[in-house]
Amino acid sequence: MSSIIVAGAGHGGLTAAYNLAKAGHRVRVFEKNGIDTVGHAWHDGMWLGTFDRVHMPRPTDMEFRPNKDMVFYNPKKTKTLTLEFGPSPQTAFVDRHELVKYLVSQCEAAGVEFSFHTAVLGCECTFDRVRGLRVRYPDGREETVFGDLVIDAAGMDSPVRKSLPARFGVPNEIPDEDVFFVYRAYYEKTDPAALDPRYSVYFFHCNHPGMDWMITEEDCMDVLVGKFGGLSQQEIDESLADFRAEYPAMGSAVVRGGYMSKIPLTKTLSCIVANGYAAVGDAAGMTVPLNGCGIDLSLQAGGMLANAASGVKDGNYTREALWPYQERYCILEGNKLVIVAKLRAFLATLRGENVDFLLENDILTQTEIGMAGGNMRAVNFRYILRKLKRLLPQAYLLPAAAKQMRGVVRLPKITAAIPAQYDEARVRRWRAIYDSI
C-alpha cells in the first residue's frame, strides 16, 4: 500500500485521508495548529448529505444551527432580494472547530497518524515529481518526510503550492483580485427576545466595495465585514457602527472570533494535480465565489480525490492518474461555480451607486444570485438583451456588462470541455481558455 502525506488539517484533506486510510494506505497529516485551533472560529453552512456522499458517518453529537433565508440589500437599503432556503433537515450551519474535531476523530479511528503543532515549510521535489514535505516539529527539529502522494490541504496561502516549481504547471498564487478580506465576530446579544429569521447580506455596506452580513442567533449576533483589496480598522468600525444603529441588540463584547482573515473568492485553479501532488479545498480555490463557503465543496473534493487515488496501482501517482479527480470535480462542481465567479468579478468593478441601480431596476435579481446553484435555464439571448436594455441609463457599464454576460454563457461550456483524460497538448489549450476568462 502507498504512503500518503497530507499538508494541513483542512476539511478536504481530512476527508481524503479518512477514505484512503480505510482503503489500507498509510496516511500522515501534518498541521501547524493544535486540534482546538484548526480552522476558523465560526459557523458556516453545509448540506448534511455530504457526509453520506463521501462515505463518512454523520455526526450525532455536534451542534447544528438551522439554515435561514438569505436577504440581500443594496447599498442604500431601498431594495431587497430573497433566496428562500429556510430550515431543512438536510442543511445547517456547523461549528467549524467541532467539524474538524469530528473529522480528526474519524480519521484516527481509520488509522490516520497526526502531527499537530508541526509547520509545513514546503515541498521536496525531484525534476518531475513531488516526493515529500519539509516540516518543522514543535521542538524546532526540521525533517523531510517522503511519500508516494502529497495532498495539499494547507489553505489559500499554502506553502506547499507556493513552493512548487513552475514547470509543474500548478499556479503558485491566487490572484490578488480574487482575495476577499474579512472580519468576523460573534457579539453578545443584549436583548434575548431579538431574533431575525433571516440571514441579511449587504452589498457595498457603508460604501465599501464588498459584502457584509448580519445573522441574529438566539445567543449572539454573527457579524461579517468583507472587502476586496484590503480591510482597514476604520472600515470595520464604520460597518459595526451602522449595524449597531440598525440592530440595537448588538452588544460591544466579542464572544467568539473577532479577527481578520483572507478567503479566496475565485474559480477553481486550472491545474490542481501534478506528479505526486494534488490540491484540495482553499489550496485549490474551492469556495463559492460569492460568499466564500466551501465546506461541502472541500468534503466532496476530498472524496473524489480519494476515489481517484485509490485506483492508482503501485503508488505511481502521476498527473495522468490523478487527472480524473480534477476532471470530475470540474464537471460536477466547478462548472456551476464559474458562473458565480463571473458575477462576483463584475460586482467587484462597480461603485455603490451602480449596485443600487442594478438592484432597483431589476437587472440584478434572484435569478442571478441564485446561479450559485447552477441554474442556467433562464440565460439565453433574450435574457441578455433584456438586461442590457435596462442598463442604457448607465450606458458606460454596457461594455463590461456585455462582456460578463457573454462569459456567463460561455464559461460552463468551457469548463465542461475539460479533457476527460490527461493529454498535455489538449490540457494546455483548455487551460489557456479557462484562465483567460
Side-chain angles (χ1 to χ4, degrees), residues 105-159:
S105 70
Q106 292 298 308
C107 285
E108 289 177 332
V112 178
E113 305 167 33
F114 283 87
S115 293
F116 289 104
H117 301 291
T118 301
V120 174
L121 306 178
C123 61
E124 187 71 24
C125 304
T126 58
F127 177 77
D128 66 342
R129 178 179 292 271
V130 177
R131 291 292 185 184
L133 296 176
R134 299 190 304 276
V135 301
R136 181 187 298 122
Y137 294 103
D139 60 5
R141 177 172 53 92
E142 296 186 7
E143 181 184 20
T144 298
V145 182
F146 293 96
D148 300 305
L149 172 64
V150 169
I151 295 176
D152 186 355
M156 189 190 82
D157 290 322
S158 167

Side-chain angles (χ1 to χ4, degrees), residues 20-336:
L20 288 167
K22 293 277 284 187
H25 301 284
R26 184 191 180 191
V27 184
R28 290 171 288 175
V29 178
F30 295 89
E31 167 57 47
K32 66 180 179 180
N33 297 299
I35 183 63
D36 293 321
T37 55
V38 177
H40 297 302
W42 55 58
H43 292 72
D44 272 325
M46 72 171 296
W47 177 57
L48 300 180
T50 304
F51 290 110
D52 307 326
R53 186 171 288 185
V54 300
H55 310 295
M56 186 175 293
R58 291 197 189 193
T60 56
D61 57 354
M62 189 186 302
E63 177 195 9
F64 293 110
R65 299 190 175 193
N67 211 352
K68 299 184 176 187
D69 292 344
M70 295 182 71
V71 179
F72 294 83
Y73 291 82
N74 66 326
K76 293 194 300 186
K77 304 178 187 176
T78 57
K79 183 70 179 284
T80 61
L81 303 177
T82 301
L83 294 184
E84 296 182 357
F85 296 110
S88 165
Q90 288 295 325
T91 59
F93 273 69
V94 299
D95 183 318
R96 295 179 70 110
H97 278 332
E98 293 303 312
L99 177 58
V100 168
K101 288 181 181 179
Y102 172 74
L103 295 175
V104 168
S105 70
Q106 292 298 308
C107 285
E108 289 177 332
V112 178
E113 305 167 33
F114 283 87
S115 293
F116 289 104
H117 301 291
T118 301
V120 174
L121 306 178
C123 61
E124 187 71 24
C125 304
T126 58
F127 177 77
D128 66 342
R129 178 179 292 271
V130 177
R131 291 292 185 184
L133 296 176
R134 299 190 304 276
V135 301
R136 181 187 298 122
Y137 294 103
D139 60 5
R141 177 172 53 92
E142 296 186 7
E143 181 184 20
T144 298
V145 182
F146 293 96
D148 300 305
L149 172 64
V150 169
I151 295 176
D152 186 355
M156 189 190 82
D157 290 322
S158 167
V160 185
R161 194 192 66 242
K162 286 176 176 285
S163 66
L164 287 172
R167 63 181 178 272
F168 284 24
V170 178
N172 295 113
E173 301 289 343
I174 300 234
D176 290 342
E177 61 267 24
D178 292 333
V179 177
F180 199 51
F181 293 79
V182 302
Y183 167 87
R184 190 168 179 185
Y186 292 73
Y187 283 88
E188 65 175 345
K189 194 164 94 171
T190 57
D191 180 4
L195 188 62
D196 190 335
R198 303 170 304 173
Y199 169 173
S200 299
V201 181
Y202 296 79
F203 288 126
F204 283 53
H205 188 212
C206 298
N207 243 357
H208 305 151
M211 181 184 75
D212 297 358
W213 79 45
M214 167 65 76
I215 306 175
T216 305
E217 300 285 6
E218 291 186 357
D219 56 346
C220 64
M221 311 288 279
D222 176 358
V223 176
L224 178 140
V225 180
K227 182 172 171 286
F228 292 99
L231 183 62
S232 69
Q233 187 60 51
Q234 178 180 342
E235 289 166 329
I236 294 171
D237 292 341
E238 288 172 355
S239 288
L240 294 179
D242 188 73
F243 274 142
R244 285 199 177 90
E246 188 167 352
Y247 298 88
M250 177 181 164
S252 58
V254 175
V255 297
R256 189 174 186 183
Y259 57 87
M260 283 192 282
S261 186
K262 295 190 295 183
I263 299 174
L265 294 189
T266 180
K267 64 183 188 289
T268 305
L269 300 180
S270 62
C271 184
I272 57 176
V273 295
N275 293 336
Y277 172 89
V280 67
D282 283 5
M286 294 174 174
T287 63
V288 178
L290 196 59
N291 59 22
C293 290
I295 294 176
D296 289 336
L297 298 173
S298 294
L299 289 173
Q300 292 183 47
M304 295 175 195
L305 173 55
N307 286 337
S310 294
V312 174
K313 297 180 179 180
D314 304 321
N316 189 21
Y317 295 97
T318 62
R319 191 195 300 267
E320 290 81 0
L322 294 170
W323 184 256
Y325 153 61
Q326 174 164 345
E327 189 267 346
R328 180 170 172 79
Y329 179 83
C330 198
I331 293 295
L332 294 183
E333 298 297 342
N335 188 30
K336 59 190 179 187

